[in-house]
Amino acid sequence: MLQRAFAAAGIASPLRFPLPPAPHHHLRSARQFYFRQHPPSSAHALLPPAPGFALPTAPPLASSAAGRCRPAHSISASAASAGEFMAESAAGAAAAGAGGAGVAMEVEVKLRLPNKEAHARVAELLAASHRVTHQQENVFFDGANGELSRNRIVLRLRFYNNDAKCVVTVKGKTVMADGIGRSTEEEEDIDPTFGRACVKDPSLLQSASTPLLSSLPNRFSCPEFVCLGGFRNTRGVFEWRGNTIELDETQFAFGTQYEIECETSQPEKLKAELGVFLQEHSVPFSNSSSTKFGIFRAGKLPEY
């Protein structure tokens, strides 16, 4: 079975006896059903070029010939609109905290910067404490019948620095309020080569042997997956007053967003301190009202 999966993805099989490629008619039927229920709108490139950021091993996510990835706003699951990812009620935060074993609660301060100039000013102010800059490519998946979206679950593969690393993340029921985001989160590292193969052929997710990925079909009654596409992000990492600050420049197909993020156990306190710091240096900012995935699903940047 694994050998057929590797053959379907077009990568070399580690097994001894090669088999002919596995048939794709079941995958094709699932995709056709999904997109008949949720027809595409305007087509555009999912991953716009990022300055100085080349991904020679990346498959052509926007290619209609591959038939597996489509613009995010062309796929809206029947039971979950983009608005459900843009904000949740306070009651939803309590539900998000009810994770099982191995599920963590991620709490982040998220402040939006209005333009490139504000982003550059923050980078200048924090330059002495710069630790690393990551080039990230984020690719998202849903069930063929919207099973993940229906449960407000986000499945993401994040590739770092030309496929040096790949991390699987499953987030649940994100709540955004007053520039603070809360969500359950599970993560695991996978082989970047296998991650790329999953982008090309999402059916490989069903046969994954890693603990997190292998649990998804049963947990969410999701027998087949489709690729939603994704976006690129340049993330500068800085240390500031004992906190790790992430300064993001996110390139969507429809525009660029600038944002400060910081994971913390004291979000209200940190948000107030960051606000004072930015105001003291005349850097304009506002509370982020949406996750990046929510913006991606909406197909447009929020008004500043």
Side-chain angles (χ1 to χ4, degrees):
M1 178 177 179
L2 286 176
Q3 197 167 3
R4 290 186 182 276
F6 278 107
I11 61 178
S13 169
L15 305 179
R16 289 181 178 272
F17 303 105
L19 294 174
H24 291 285
H25 58 278
H26 295 300
L27 304 177
R28 186 166 57 250
S29 298
R31 289 194 304 273
Q32 288 172 346
F33 175 80
Y34 190 92
F35 294 119
R36 278 202 303 271
Q37 298 300 312
H38 317 292
S41 55
S42 60
H44 54 259
L46 295 178
L47 299 172
F53 182 31
L55 289 174
T57 60
L61 297 187
S63 171
S64 60
R68 293 186 173 90
C69 292
R70 295 292 187 273
H73 63 270
S74 72
I75 306 174
S76 59
S78 58
S81 67
E84 290 180 300
F85 291 93
M86 302 291 276
E88 292 289 346
S89 66
V103 180
M105 172 65 80
E106 181 188 53
V107 182
E108 289 182 308
V109 173
K110 298 169 71 72
L111 301 178
R112 186 180 178 192
L113 303 171
N115 49 44
K116 189 174 185 66
E117 290 72 26
H119 177 275
R121 178 59 175 154
V122 174
E124 179 185 13
L125 292 169
L126 299 177
S129 62
H130 178 256
R131 294 294 174 264
V132 67
T133 296
H134 293 299
Q135 302 292 349
Q136 302 173 339
E137 182 184 349
N138 302 281
V139 184
F140 300 90
F141 299 83
D142 198 355
N145 297 304
E147 291 91 344
L148 301 184
S149 294
R150 186 160 54 246
N151 289 284
R152 301 202 300 279
I153 300 298
V154 176
L155 172 58
R156 180 188 71 204
L157 297 189
R158 173 173 284 171
F159 299 90
Y160 287 81
N161 305 325
N162 291 324
D163 294 359
K165 179 180 179 180
C166 181
V167 178
V168 179
T169 301
V170 177
K171 290 193 177 189
K173 301 180 181 178
T174 298
V175 179
M176 283 294 301
D178 299 323
I180 297 172
R182 293 176 170 87
S183 66
T184 58
E185 182 177 79
E186 301 169 84
E187 290 191 329
E188 69 179 6
D189 291 0
I190 64 170
D191 183 338
T193 301
F194 179 69
R196 286 294 177 193
C198 290
V199 173
K200 183 177 180 181
D201 184 355
S203 72
L204 294 177
L205 292 170
Q206 281 104 261
S207 60
S209 60
T210 58
L212 181 55
L213 282 178
S214 63
S215 73
L216 298 181
N218 288 334
R219 283 170 61 187
F220 301 109
S221 300
C222 187
E224 297 187 71
F225 293 90
V226 292
C227 175
L228 303 179
F231 53 82
R232 287 189 170 97
N233 184 53
T234 300
R235 170 164 288 175
V237 181
F238 305 82
E239 294 300 319
W240 183 77
R241 301 182 186 179
N243 300 287
T244 300
I245 301 294
E246 297 169 337
L247 183 60
D248 289 346
E249 178 180 355
T250 307
Q251 295 191 324
F252 300 99
F254 42 82
T256 302
Q257 174 172 276
Y258 305 94
E259 191 174 41
I260 296 171
E261 291 190 359
C262 184
E263 191 169 346
T264 176
S265 60
Q266 297 179 298
E268 289 80 9
K269 179 176 181 290
L270 176 61
K271 180 189 163 190
E273 292 175 352
L274 272 173
V276 171
F277 172 75
L278 295 172
Q279 289 171 349
E280 286 177 347
H281 292 90
S282 302
V283 178
F285 69 95
S286 64
N287 293 333
S288 293
S289 59
S290 170
T291 66
K292 290 180 177 67
F293 180 67
I295 295 171
F296 175 62
R297 287 292 298 263
K300 62 180 180 179
L301 297 176
E303 293 185 5
Y304 181 77

